[in-house]
Amino acid sequence: MAKITYIEHGGKEHVVDVSNGLTVMEGARDNGIPGIEADCGGACACSTCHVYIDPTWVEKLAAKDAMEEDMLDFAYEPDAARSRLTCQLKVTDDLDGLVVQMPEKQI
Ligand code: FES
C-alpha cells in the first residue's frame, strides 16, 4: 500500500491509498481522480496517463523501458527528466509518499 498524491494541473491535490500490485494509473482511475485519462486501459499505447514526477521521486522509480520511452514522445509537453506513463508504474510499499502532477491536458 502506498499513499500517493496526485496534483491536478490547477493545483488541486488528491491523496489516496493505492494497493500494491495496481499501477499509479489504476490508483487514479479507481478513485475518480481527473487528469489521467488512460484511453488504452494500461497497454502503453496511448500516452494519456502521462504525469510529471515530483523531482524528489524521479530517481527512486524503476527506469523506463523502451516502449514507455517511445510512447512518451506522443504525450502533451513531455519533460525528459520528469515525465512518466502512470500505467507503467507498479505500486509497492516503496512508492509510499509518491507525488505526481498532471499535465495541462492529455493529448
Ligand atoms: S494508459 Fe495508455 S499509455 Fe498508459
Side-chain angles (χ1 to χ4, degrees):
M1 177 87 74
K3 195 172 285 296
I4 300 179
T5 301
Y6 300 83
I7 306 175
E8 292 182 46
H9 183 70
K12 185 170 182 197
E13 291 190 11
H14 305 262
V15 183
V16 295
D17 289 325
V18 183
S19 298
N20 290 353
L22 294 178
T23 64
V24 174
M25 176 277 278
E26 289 167 330
R29 183 198 62 195
D30 294 354
N31 288 284
I33 297 170
I36 292 179
E37 295 171 9
D39 290 341
C40 77
C44 198
C46 72
S47 83
T48 63
C49 64
H50 168 218
V51 299
Y52 303 111
I53 303 296
D54 185 272
T56 61
W57 274 91
V58 170
E59 296 297 324
K60 298 178 193 165
L61 301 178
K64 291 173 244 186
D65 65 14
M67 199 158 90
E68 181 181 356
E69 196 84 66
D70 287 350
M71 195 48 60
L72 273 168
D73 289 342
F74 298 98
Y76 179 75
E77 295 191 344
D79 176 329
R82 297 176 55 214
S83 287
R84 294 298 301 259
L85 295 179
T86 50
C87 72
Q88 300 303 300
L89 297 173
K90 273 266 189 266
V91 174
T92 66
D93 291 345
D94 290 345
L95 262 55
D96 189 43
L98 176 68
V99 178
V100 303
Q101 189 168 27
M102 276 73 108
E104 183 179 355
K105 61 180 181 180
Q106 301 290 353
I107 49 165

